[in-house]
Amino acid sequence: MKRISALSVLVSVLISCSEKPVGQNNEKDSAYTQKADSVLNLMTLEEKIGQTVLFTSGWDVTGPSMDDNYKEYLKKGSLGAVFNAFTTKYNRELQEIAVEDTRLGIPLLFGYDVIHGHRTIFPIPLGESASWDLELMEKTARVAAIEASAEGINWTFAPMVDVARDARWGRIAEGAGEDTYLGSLIAGARVKGFQGDDLSANNTILACAKHYAAYGAAMAGRDYNTVDMSENELRTTYLPPFKAALDAGVATFMNSFNDLNGVPATGNEFLLRDILKGEWAFNGFVVTDYTSLNEMVPHGYAKDEKQAGEIAMNAGVDMDMQGGIYMKYLKKSIEEGKVSEADLDDAVRRILEMKFRLGLFDDPYRYLDEKREKEDILNDEHLEIARDAARKSMVLLKNKNKVLPLSPDRKVALIGPLVKDEKNIIGNWAAAGDRGGTAVSVFEGFEERVGKGNFLYAEGCKLTGDDISGFAEAVATAKKADVVVMVVGELEGMTGEAASRTDINIPGKQKALIEAVKNTGKPVVLVLMNGRPLTLEWENNTVDAILEAWWPGTMGGHAVTDVLYGDYNPSGKLTVSFPRTVGQLPLFYNHKNTGRPVNPGDPDQKYVSRYLNTPNTPLFPFGYGLSYTDFSYEVAVDKERITPADTLTVTAKVTNTGNRDGEEVVQLYLHDKVASITPPVKQLKGFEKVFIRKGETATVKFELSAEDLKFYGPDLEWKYEPGEFELFVAGNSDMPFTHSFELVAE
Ligand code: GLC
């Protein structure tokens, strides 16, 4: 009998199962805690430390590789988890070492950055968030987990739930945009998708809320940079999506690289022990980001790596990703009394609990089913979901003279460096996604939709560089067409980690190409593929239509074609503001009013909070997106005043006044006129995406109570205050308030 089954027999005899869902505040007597303790009590100090060690397999690297002796560590039981390893063959090889060749045979976790799909790649998370479709986002995370687990992965380092308001920051691509309320709902949906209802199922995996915390507020949008803010701002804007992930049962957290108010997140006891494990009673485990533990030395927070390890373990970090510090120094730190073995036990218990929840002690090979590997990956069902997600993520930003949708009888010229692209189209964090031909390019999408040879093509120029030798051919091609569709944007590597930009224009000679083509007089439709808001003022003044396609993923080409030809009526709405210039950043809709707000009627007024050369407003606001049809709103509220015991009902009758069915994201925004902390000028407080047939009307109701009016007061108390409020319901955030009400004391 193999060790592991002996161990699991011993453990299961000890404990009856009173299983509780992950993320609940499980008391110490939970079944999993007891199971973990029964293993913990068998472990040597070295074996305990081994569980806190995570190394990359070297198969794929997502940061500076520190040490590739992972197999040696594995054999010694000095490794509790491996990341960047997948396929059933490879992972079985590693799992067998852990289970068969070590004293206790404790199975490994296998982690990977399955951020927006595993083999079937969905739109980047920022793009997908523009669908405002929570069910869809849960579904794509579910599919990602099915595919990842079919290749031996049982833990993903996702969802990234960092609120981001600065488009210079490349990692804005990985999250859900600038709004805390929407980002919190999306965080919960993605956690549920990855983890499903039962972690012991072999197609559900541990999720990881990252990067805890406030990483998206890096100064100047420069990755890894300093973060400094009030606790009020931290709790108001940056923590809620993490709490939403925890409430959805997220199994793990990843601390961020940045320091927060002078303390690196990796050693931040306030974040980890006071809030996460204390106030929120988190019962999962915390992993560092890639060598973020080591980085406390260059942060100037630890004099050496050993001290960094002591700070981190004392602060509540349970697992060291790639740093090798817990492995090298924890034993000595404990012997010196600088770290308590009780804290190590708590860390190991949390890790073991998750391995029990995954069912790895019952069957460590449960995620290594070759049959699933063949059947559950890149199948038709998943590809159709990817096409649907990509369509629903796209945002129509401009459509002058209804140049879109294209009619089949008009000759189209496809021009631009991303027309035939099958590499960048899957975005920057595409894990095991194939960049060598699996993805559908726009060119291929057109071939399927209008037939080979029934449209024209010219590349025009590359994504970057100064070569304009292709312009002449592009111009000549444009002249032969009735309408030009230009597919332009960024290199996928221009967004994501370590990819901040101080200039967020479309790069290279693409703008010049657009100008040359536009000068032919033909209508020009821009299809953008990018991972962040870009500065598009010139393009918006020059071309006839703009479709924001983000990095749409494996089925991107079909999805773009579906939207351009109206097979799908675009319904996406921006979840990040698009600035006019990079100088406006950070830019977000729910800003404060200041004491000297701009008077819209007098934009050139002196001595108000504005720039001399650019309006404060975005080019395209949060919540904005056009459709091929139009919607009109009729809004009513049922009371003029409410007490804390009342509910205000806001009713929106939304009519599709156009000649085509479509979906609308009906959004409710609220403004607290006066509060003991300066209030934002507006806040999203509710939304519903509704399908409305042409000529029909849908009724959407929002219920507001005093609970929805709460904020963190001067002493951080979570409270509402009586006073005047105003609201509106519309299809984007840049609309006037239409109704008001009063909250009165009891
Ligand atoms: C990277 C990223 C993090 C990722 C981790 C593992 O540095 O910051 O998001 O999950 O390392 O690849």
Side-chain angles (χ1 to χ4, degrees):
M1 179 188 276
K2 289 184 187 138
R3 286 179 192 72
I4 189 63
S5 45
L7 187 62
S8 57
V9 166
L10 164 72
V11 165
S12 51
V13 161
L14 285 170
I15 288 137
S16 62
C17 280
S18 60
E19 296 174 9
K20 295 181 179 161
V22 175
Q24 301 304 313
N25 178 7
N26 291 329
E27 300 72 34
K28 276 293 162 242
D29 64 355
S30 82
Y32 289 106
T33 307
Q34 289 177 42
K35 287 180 180 183
D37 279 337
S38 62
V39 175
L40 190 62
N41 297 336
L42 303 174
M43 297 171 79
T44 64
L45 179 60
E46 289 77 1
E47 287 164 337
K48 289 178 187 177
I49 292 170
Q51 290 301 302
T52 70
V53 178
L54 165 66
F55 270 119
T56 181
S57 71
W59 177 297
D60 181 6
V61 285
T62 49
S65 184
M66 301 289 284
D67 185 327
D68 49 16
N69 298 320
Y70 64 94
K71 277 191 182 165
E72 288 319 307
Y73 305 144
L74 207 43
K75 287 197 177 80
K76 288 192 300 188
S78 305
L79 211 49
V82 173
F83 67 116
N84 297 332
F86 54 92
T87 70
T88 54
K89 180 174 180 301
Y90 185 59
N91 287 21
R92 180 178 291 276
E93 178 196 335
L94 301 181
Q95 194 68 294
E96 279 174 352
I97 298 171
V99 171
E100 308 297 335
D101 300 349
T102 63
R103 188 177 76 90
L104 288 176
I106 297 173
L108 290 169
L109 289 175
F110 288 100
Y112 198 42
D113 290 286
V114 183
I115 307 298
H116 52 104
H118 178 60
R119 296 276 187 179
T120 301
I121 303 299
F122 302 105
I124 55 168
L126 181 65
E128 204 181 59
S129 73
S131 72
W132 293 58
D133 186 334
L134 300 176
E135 241 175 76
L136 173 74
M137 288 183 259
E138 181 173 341
K139 190 193 298 183
T140 61
R142 182 90 294 279
V143 169
I146 288 168
E147 294 200 348
S149 58
E151 288 212 270
I153 293 159
N154 46 44
W155 180 23
T156 179
F157 304 133
M160 184 272 219
V161 301
D162 301 306
V163 170
R165 297 161 150 182
D166 193 322
R168 290 172 292 183
W169 191 51
R171 304 201 77 166
I172 197 168
E174 300 173 43
E178 70 192 43
D179 184 66
T180 301
Y181 171 82
L182 177 60
S184 299
L185 292 171
I186 291 173
R190 288 177 168 157
V191 166
K192 292 193 184 104
F194 287 125
Q195 297 190 165
D197 299 325
D198 172 10
L199 274 179
S200 70
N202 71 357
N203 65 1
T204 58
I205 60 179
L206 304 182
C208 180
K210 72 182 187 183
H211 306 79
Y212 186 65
Y215 182 32
M219 247 174 228
R222 199 176 78 231
D223 205 1
Y224 314 123
N225 204 4
T226 304
V227 173
D228 205 300
M229 66 177 69
S230 68
E231 186 177 341
N232 196 305
E233 175 62 359
L234 177 70
R235 288 181 179 275
T236 298
T237 302
Y238 293 92
L239 290 187
F242 287 97
K243 182 61 170 52
L246 184 140
D247 292 342
V250 74
T252 69
F253 266 59
M254 181 187 292
N255 69 253
S256 55
F257 288 116
N258 56 282
D259 60 347
L260 173 63
N261 300 336
V263 180
T266 312
N268 198 308
E269 193 160 344
F270 169 67
L271 283 176
L272 297 167
R273 288 210 186 280
D274 297 350
I275 294 182
L276 179 60
K277 295 181 175 179
E279 204 178 306
W280 294 354
F282 175 58
N283 67 359
F285 70 83
V286 176
V287 64
T288 69
D289 202 338
Y290 198 113
T291 67
S292 70
L293 216 166
N294 313 58
E295 293 161 23
M296 283 208 276
V297 176
H299 264 299
Y301 199 72
K303 68 177 189 308
D304 56 30
E305 292 194 338
K306 178 173 175 290
Q307 189 195 25
E310 289 153 5
I311 292 168
M313 179 54 75
N314 292 335
V317 171
D318 304 308
M319 187 183 281
D320 170 7
M321 177 192 282
Q322 195 62 22
I325 289 180
Y326 279 2
M327 181 175 72
K328 286 181 204 140
Y329 304 110
L330 257 191
K331 182 169 190 289
K332 189 162 173 31
S333 298
I334 288 171
E335 286 160 356
E336 292 170 352
K338 292 183 179 156
V339 168
S340 75
E341 188 159 359
D343 280 349
L344 172 63
D345 287 352
D346 180 59
V348 177
R349 181 181 300 115
R350 291 167 179 268
I351 295 163
L352 293 175
E353 275 197 32
M354 288 308 157
K355 294 185 176 182
F356 273 109
R357 287 178 187 279
L358 285 169
L360 288 173
F361 279 98
D362 298 328
D363 173 9
Y365 304 106
R366 65 189 303 110
Y367 289 92
L368 302 167
D369 174 349
E370 290 81 353
K371 186 168 171 295
R372 281 199 60 218
E373 196 169 34
K374 292 184 183 62
E375 292 169 359
D376 287 0
I377 287 176
L378 277 169
N379 58 36
D380 291 346
E381 182 198 356
H382 293 175
L383 291 172
E384 189 45 42
I385 291 168
R387 183 168 181 162
D388 190 42
R391 284 191 296 241
K392 290 178 175 170
S393 304
M394 292 179 193
V395 185
L396 182 61
L397 297 175
K398 181 179 183 181
N399 190 19
K400 193 171 87 178
N401 306 327
K402 296 200 183 290
V403 65
L404 291 176
L406 300 172
S407 57
D409 57 1
R410 299 189 76 194
K411 177 69 87 177
V412 172
L414 287 181
I415 295 176
L418 286 167
V419 170
K420 289 194 169 182
D421 181 86
E422 298 171 354
K423 178 175 169 297
N424 295 281
I425 197 168
I426 59 175
N428 64 289
W429 255 136
D434 170 27
R435 296 185 189 275
T438 305
V440 177
S441 67
V442 174
F443 189 89
E444 288 167 322
F446 266 71
E447 284 186 316
E448 181 181 89
R449 184 68 174 66
V450 299
K452 289 189 181 200
N454 290 345
F455 58 92
L456 306 168
Y457 165 71
E459 181 182 37
C461 68
K462 298 299 180 193
L463 277 169
T464 55
D466 297 329
D467 176 12
I468 60 169
S469 59
F471 277 30
E473 184 205 6
V475 169
T477 304
K479 286 177 177 169
K480 295 176 198 157
D482 299 317
V483 57
V484 182
V485 172
M486 298 187 76
V487 188
V488 296
E490 294 181 298
L491 275 169
E492 56 90 7
M494 288 180 169
T495 54
E497 185 173 353
S500 297
R501 293 177 67 197
T502 57
D503 164 352
I504 54 173
N505 284 310
I506 295 176
K509 286 292 180 189
Q510 298 178 83
K511 269 174 96 161
L513 177 67
I514 295 166
E515 186 168 27
V517 167
K518 186 57 194 155
N519 287 343
T520 65
K522 301 290 182 182
V524 172
V525 173
L526 271 197
V527 175
L528 297 175
M529 291 193 182
N530 47 295
R532 57 155 53 84
L534 299 173
T535 36
L536 300 165
E537 199 150 45
W538 175 84
E539 291 81 353
N540 189 44
N541 292 332
T542 305
V543 303
D544 303 270
I546 302 176
L547 177 68
E548 176 55 80
W550 315 103
W551 293 119
T554 304
M555 298 294 274
H558 287 320
V560 166
T561 312
D562 292 343
V563 171
L564 291 180
Y565 278 96
D567 301 337
Y568 179 76
N569 183 359
S571 62
K573 300 281 186 180
L574 295 179
T575 56
V576 274
S577 308
F578 274 50
R580 298 170 189 278
T581 72
V582 72
Q584 289 180 279
L585 296 173
L587 182 67
F588 46 99
Y589 83 95
N590 47 348
H591 57 79
K592 302 287 183 93
N593 203 33
T594 78
R596 293 199 172 186
V598 169
N599 169 0
D602 180 5
D604 298 325
Q605 184 185 1
K606 188 85 177 141
Y607 303 116
V608 293
S609 181
R610 70 180 180 86
Y611 304 96
L612 290 178
N613 58 337
T614 303
N616 291 355
T617 53
L619 179 65
F620 300 115
F622 175 84
Y624 172 83
L626 300 175
S627 166
Y628 291 148
T629 187
D630 297 297
F631 299 98
S632 66
Y633 282 70
E634 195 188 318
V635 178
V637 296
D638 68 341
K639 302 179 185 73
E640 288 180 357
R641 72 176 50 76
I642 60 170
T643 69
D646 294 330
T647 300
L648 182 83
T649 301
V650 184
T651 305
K653 292 190 181 342
V654 185
T655 302
N656 180 339
T657 56
N659 58 11
R660 171 191 294 267
D661 299 347
E663 291 161 287
E664 171 71 329
V665 180
V666 180
Q667 304 156 49
L668 167 69
Y669 292 89
L670 185 83
H671 173 217
D672 183 349
K673 288 184 168 180
V674 177
S676 55
I677 290 288
T678 49
V681 295
K682 65 187 78 172
Q683 286 197 87
L684 178 70
K685 285 287 183 182
F687 68 89
E688 193 174 321
K689 187 165 190 175
V690 288
F691 175 79
I692 309 174
R693 295 199 180 288
K694 62 186 178 192
E696 294 189 359
T697 297
T699 299
V700 176
K701 284 183 183 295
F702 299 100
E703 307 280 333
L704 285 177
S705 74
E707 276 308 305
D708 300 303
L709 311 179
K710 284 186 171 180
F711 64 97
Y712 285 102
D715 303 324
L716 295 177
E717 69 286 20
W718 180 240
K719 67 171 186 175
Y720 50 75
E721 289 173 347
E724 293 284 327
F725 295 81
E726 54 188 348
L727 63 86
F728 67 88
V729 180
N732 83 76
S733 64
D734 187 20
M735 298 295 277
F737 289 102
T738 56
H739 293 76
S740 58
F741 68 93
E742 185 185 3
L743 172 68
V744 296
E746 301 301 334

